[in-house]
Amino acid sequence: MSDYVLAIDIGTTNVKIALFDIKGNQILVHREKCVNTGHNGSEMIDPSVWWNSLINTITKIPEDKRHNIRALSISGQGPTIVPMNIKGNFNQKAITWLDNRHISEISRITEEKNDPQLAAVIAKLSWMGKRIEEPHYLLQPADYICYQLSGKIVNMTFDCEGYIPWNKDDLNRFDLSDKFIIPELAPTGDMVGKITKKISKELDLPKDVIVVSGAPDFAAALVGTGTVKAGYLCDRGGTSQGVTLCSSKRIKAAGVMTTPYFIKNHWKLSGIMKTSGKAIDWFCSNIADCDVEQMKTSLSLTNRPSNIIFLPYLSGERSPHWNPNARGVFFGLTLDADKKQMLLSILEGISFSIADIVSRMENSGCEISKIRTTGGQATNDILNQIKSDVLNKKIELPHVYESELLGTAIFAISALKNKDIIEMSSELVKISKVYYPDISKHERYLELLKIYRDIYINNIDSFSHIAKIQKRS
């Protein structure tokens, strides 16, 4: 019987697990939805929802395979704040990265020349700090699961800037150090410990299963797509979107974050969009009562471009605008518009948003030699083709499309084999399909991309105005 590693990912919409053999072959995948329904910008969730979903998914693994798991690792969404008091209790709900209630405070902190992402985290911590009486540990979703499995209180991530949303200096600077405790860092790929006897018994797992330190889901996806060479760009699309370039040069691009890569002497240029995939779910569930999976064939037969422009800013936007007041827009609707055209325009709007970031990278001197797509959106052939046409670049699809799971498995496999994570990534990641751009469609998309950008620029004041009105209601 083969030895296996268990990859766990705590996403915004789903808790997912995957079993891999030591050669990196995916054996099975299970997932369970864990959506929290927000209201008036609030996006909070009881972390026990993740834990209960994880238990349900693990118990679906066949017994013979479960008994041959040697190691596990965990990745997760963020920045999401999971507070744990010093007694190990979780009495407060987690505040997810989607929470959008602190716009004025974020704006104030950003105006003091702070990074917008840091401002968002500090604003949420300040709000939470007023509601707790004793110090709390700062965990993220993956850290929470690690604690439940091993009893260890750690922050799991690569040991470099840009992979953890808080540090002691910032807590001191914003007078939060008496409210929050930053746990010990567990560098990605290091052994944290073993699962507890209690967990071994409850989940029917071997008692010597090793818990290997994981990382944020975006970092796991970089490893799982083989984005470990200069010039490689990872487009990771799920509920949100992350566009991350590995660069050998430290380049600053407007609206894009530049931080150290987890590879020595390399840099990570990142653009993050808030509600790209969420916009698809919103339209299909709340507006058109349709299923995007069932509409793939009809979408592929629909004329492109749709000539309707959609701005996917349904909860403000991060990159490249960093504007919490930005709002979603359908532009160019006529009496001929139907749900197929509108859904197609959402896919195009996501692609325009990616193009906005990629063009800023390239205009700042970045070189992009490969683009690899991953995440839930990667199963959508028409969306992958639209991205290729809009960008006028080849798009590569790795053999494991949920690459955060493969990346997380690589953390565990590397620990078992005592090998370098980068080496294992290059060895185990394979490309299953390539999408090639249609130049005639690209030229038509360029016209629409200009209008897409103009719509945002021309409505900045109106976005702020409507946001104020919505906040009052």
Side-chain angles (χ1 to χ4, degrees):
M1 179 64 70
S2 299
D3 289 328
Y4 301 111
V5 298
L6 179 64
I8 299 168
D9 178 64
I10 309 301
T12 306
T13 306
N14 295 287
V15 167
K16 296 175 288 188
I17 65 164
L19 206 62
F20 291 82
D21 65 21
I22 304 302
K23 295 180 181 179
N25 297 309
Q26 185 173 286
I27 308 302
L28 58 80
V29 178
H30 291 301
R31 73 191 72 231
E32 183 166 297
K33 245 182 167 55
C34 57
V35 180
N36 182 61
T37 303
H39 182 66
N40 290 335
S42 170
E43 292 287 347
M44 301 179 74
I45 187 169
D46 185 334
S48 66
V49 171
W50 300 323
W51 179 242
N52 292 331
S53 293
L54 179 61
I55 292 173
N56 292 340
T57 53
I58 289 178
T59 53
K60 292 178 182 177
I61 301 173
E63 187 177 283
D64 61 329
K65 291 180 172 58
R66 209 183 318 154
H67 291 171
N68 283 279
I69 295 173
R70 290 187 57 197
L72 64 84
S73 190
I74 315 151
S75 62
Q77 40 115 336
T80 286
I81 303 164
V82 188
M84 182 184 78
N85 69 20
I86 54 177
K87 295 178 182 177
N89 298 321
F90 297 88
N91 299 324
Q92 304 288 327
K93 285 188 175 182
I95 305 180
T96 79
W97 59 271
L98 274 172
D99 193 280
N100 203 31
R101 289 172 294 171
H102 314 286
I103 292 175
S104 59
E105 182 68 3
I106 292 170
S107 298
R108 184 189 67 77
I109 297 171
T110 304
E111 287 170 2
E112 296 174 359
K113 297 184 177 180
N114 290 295
D115 175 86
Q117 186 136 299
L118 170 65
V121 171
I122 292 298
K124 292 168 187 175
L125 288 177
S126 297
W127 179 88
M128 183 175 285
K130 295 172 184 176
R131 287 157 176 80
I132 57 175
E133 296 180 358
E134 58 183 345
H136 279 59
Y137 288 101
L138 288 177
L139 305 180
Q140 295 208 77
D143 304 323
Y144 163 77
I145 297 299
C146 178
Y147 174 74
Q148 297 286 32
L149 290 170
S150 69
K152 304 293 184 181
I153 305 172
V154 294
N155 278 163
M156 301 186 297
T157 191
F158 286 101
D159 189 10
C160 52
E161 178 191 349
Y163 292 86
I164 191 167
W166 41 67
N167 60 58
K168 290 181 179 178
D169 289 342
D170 289 330
L171 293 187
N172 286 329
R173 191 154 58 96
F174 290 95
D175 297 323
L176 294 168
S177 57
D178 61 332
K179 293 288 186 177
F180 299 106
I181 305 166
I182 297 177
E184 177 185 354
L185 177 71
T188 302
D190 282 8
M191 176 178 167
V192 175
K194 295 182 179 180
I195 62 172
T196 64
K197 291 180 181 179
K198 179 175 178 286
I199 291 299
S200 173
K201 184 176 181 180
E202 286 182 1
L203 299 182
D204 193 22
L205 292 169
K207 61 183 179 182
D208 58 350
V209 173
I210 296 168
V211 179
V212 178
S213 179
D217 52 7
F218 75 86
L222 296 176
V223 172
T225 52
T227 308
V228 292
K229 294 181 181 179
Y232 283 32
L233 182 144
C234 173
D235 160 45
R236 178 174 177 268
T239 302
S240 60
Q241 201 90 19
V243 178
T244 305
L245 175 67
C246 177
S247 174
S248 59
K249 302 175 184 177
R250 184 176 186 177
I251 295 173
K252 295 285 187 179
V256 176
M257 298 176 290
T258 301
T259 53
Y261 216 84
F262 49 77
I263 303 171
K264 188 176 181 181
N265 298 323
H266 285 66
W267 298 88
K268 174 168 64 70
L269 282 83
S270 302
I272 311 166
M273 294 91 85
K274 285 191 78 172
T275 54
S276 54
K278 189 79 170 177
I280 299 172
D281 294 339
W282 161 80
F283 182 78
C284 290
S285 299
N286 295 10
I287 308 299
D289 190 23
C290 62
D291 187 327
V292 69
E293 291 296 319
Q294 295 177 2
M295 292 185 66
K296 282 180 181 178
T297 300
S298 60
L299 283 175
S300 68
L301 299 174
T302 304
N303 288 332
R304 289 196 292 116
S306 68
N307 296 325
I308 299 169
I309 296 172
F310 176 72
L311 272 62
Y313 308 151
L314 299 181
S315 183
E317 186 55 297
R318 292 192 280 187
S319 307
H321 306 304
W322 297 101
N323 182 358
N325 293 321
R327 291 295 183 266
V329 174
F330 277 112
F331 182 82
L333 292 175
T334 68
L335 290 173
D336 294 326
D338 59 23
K339 68 180 178 182
K340 285 191 294 185
Q341 286 179 296
M342 294 178 73
L343 181 55
L344 190 63
S345 76
I346 293 175
L347 304 186
E348 292 169 339
I350 293 168
S351 303
F352 290 150
S353 190
I354 294 169
D356 236 0
I357 292 169
V358 168
S359 63
R360 288 173 185 239
M361 291 177 176
E362 291 186 317
N363 292 340
S364 299
C366 295
E367 296 178 3
I368 300 174
S369 59
K370 287 186 184 294
I371 298 179
R372 291 178 173 175
T373 191
T374 184
Q377 293 178 22
T379 63
N380 191 323
D381 278 333
I382 184 64
L383 177 53
N384 293 338
Q385 187 59 56
I386 292 171
K387 290 176 182 179
S388 178
D389 294 342
V390 169
L391 295 170
N392 196 30
K393 295 180 185 292
K394 291 189 296 185
I395 303 289
E396 296 183 343
L397 178 65
H399 71 296
V400 177
Y401 75 88
E402 290 180 306
S403 56
E404 67 277 7
L405 290 171
L406 176 56
T408 306
I410 288 173
F411 301 153
I413 294 169
S414 299
L416 289 176
K417 290 190 172 184
N418 196 27
K419 285 190 175 182
D420 179 66
I421 289 173
I422 309 307
E423 177 187 346
M424 294 303 301
S425 172
S426 298
E427 178 183 328
L428 297 179
V429 176
K430 311 297 180 188
I431 301 302
S432 65
K433 188 173 183 178
V434 180
Y435 298 83
Y436 294 88
D438 181 326
I439 187 62
S440 64
K441 284 187 170 59
H442 171 67
E443 289 171 353
R444 294 171 66 191
Y445 276 130
L446 281 181
E447 291 183 80
L448 297 170
L449 177 59
K450 182 181 185 305
I451 300 172
Y452 172 91
R453 289 168 171 157
D454 288 345
I455 293 169
Y456 174 77
I457 292 169
N458 294 336
N459 286 281
I460 291 175
D461 290 342
S462 295
F463 287 145
S464 297
H465 192 187
I466 193 66
K468 288 178 182 176
I469 293 171
Q470 290 171 341
K471 192 174 181 180
R472 291 201 302 263
S473 63

